[in-house]
Amino acid sequence: MTHRTPSVRVLLVEDDQRVARVNRDLLERDPDVHVVGSAATCAQGDALAQALNPDLILLDVHLPDGSGLGLLRHWRTVGRTTDVALITAADDEASVRLALAHGAFDYLIKPFTGARLADLLARHRGRRLPVTPGPETPRLDQGSLDRLLGVQGRGAEPLPRGVDPHTLERVAQTLDEAGGGVSAEDTGERLGLSRVTAWRYLEHLVRTGRASLEHQYGHSGRPAKLYTSRPADQEPLD
C-alpha cells in the first residue's frame, strides 16, 4: 500500500486579506496542505487555534488588536505547543529574537519566495512526532530528538551537492515509519520522488549510518535492495 506524505492543517493569522489569499494559494499547491482557517486579528487567531487545533500556525506580527509576538507568548504560557512560524514584514532583530525565544520554529520576512515557504513546510514535517495510539505520550530516542531539534550528529559532514536536508529528513522519517525494509521505488512513491532520487537519498542514509541495506534475492535472480531505518543506539561510536 502506498503511504502519502502526512497532511498538514494550517491556520493563517494575517490581517491583509490579499496577502492571506496569496499565502493560501502558495500553501495549497501542495495537495497534502490544507488551510483550515484564516484570522485577521489576535482574538480571532486565538479562538480559531483553540477550535481547530491546527498542525501549523503561520502568524503575522503586526495585527489590528495587538502583536503576534504577544499571541505567541500567550499560547506558550497556556501550554499550546503547536508549531508556529512567523511570516511578517517585521525585520528587526528584537522581533526575531523574541519570536525564537517564545518557541517559533521559523521566521519568514516578507516578501518571500515559494521555495522558502516549501522549505518551511518540509521543516515542519521533519519535526512531526510519530502518532502513538492511546493516551501514552510518545517516547523519543536521541536520534529522533535531534531531528526534531534540527541538530546534526557530532562530526557530521556537510551534505553532498544536490542533497536537500529537508528532503533527506522526509526520507529518513519514511524509513522510521515503515518499520521494515523498503525499496527505493516504494520510498519514491510514498514521497512523490523518482526512484533514482529516492535511491540517492537512501544511499546517503546508509553511508552516514542512519539506515542499513540488505539484498533480497528472488526468483528473477536480480537482488532487490531493501533499506531499513537504523536506530540511533545501533550507530557505531566514534
Side-chain angles (χ1 to χ4, degrees), residues 152 156-166 168 200-201 203-205 207-208:
Q152 284 191 309
E157 297 179 359
L159 292 177
R161 185 174 181 179
V163 174
D164 172 71
H166 306 298
L168 183 64
R200 186 169 70 250
Y201 282 91
E203 288 291 320
H204 178 77
L205 291 173
R207 286 193 298 273
T208 55

Side-chain angles (χ1 to χ4, degrees), residues 117-208:
L117 184 60
D119 176 82
L120 183 155
L121 289 170
R123 291 189 61 216
H124 164 73
R125 285 185 168 118
R127 291 163 50 88
R128 297 279 284 271
L129 295 175
V131 177
T132 302
E136 182 179 351
T137 301
R139 313 297 294 183
L140 299 176
D141 58 29
Q142 190 63 53
S144 299
L145 179 56
D146 286 347
R147 288 195 290 275
L148 181 67
L149 297 173
V151 175
Q152 284 191 309
R154 181 170 57 88
E157 297 179 359
L159 292 177
R161 185 174 181 179
V163 174
D164 172 71
H166 306 298
T167 302
L168 183 64
E169 289 308 316
R170 290 176 62 203
V171 173
Q173 185 178 16
T174 297
L175 285 189
D176 290 342
E177 294 171 351
V182 293
S183 67
E185 182 176 8
D186 187 34
T187 302
E189 288 180 356
R190 296 181 188 205
L191 296 175
L193 304 172
S194 71
R195 182 188 63 80
V196 172
T197 298
W199 170 81
R200 186 169 70 250
Y201 282 91
L202 289 166
E203 288 291 320
H204 178 77
L205 291 173
V206 171
R207 286 193 298 273
T208 55

Side-chain angles (χ1 to χ4, degrees), residues 37-114:
S38 184
T41 65
C42 289
Q44 291 174 359
D46 191 29
L48 287 179
Q50 294 183 52
L52 300 174
N53 194 27
D55 303 307
L56 173 64
I57 300 174
L58 302 184
L59 177 64
D60 195 4
V61 169
H62 302 301
L63 295 166
D65 59 344
S67 168
L69 295 173
L71 181 56
L72 174 58
R73 182 173 62 249
H74 163 72
W75 283 334
R76 297 316 189 216
T77 300
V78 300
R80 176 167 294 281
T81 59
T82 308
D83 266 359
V84 177
L86 277 292
I87 296 186
T88 175
D91 57 0
D92 59 290
E93 183 179 354
S95 293
V96 175
R97 286 187 176 276
L98 275 174
L100 298 178
H102 294 320
F105 85 97
D106 207 346
Y107 197 111
L108 270 62
I109 298 173
K110 301 174 183 176
F112 54 88
T113 64

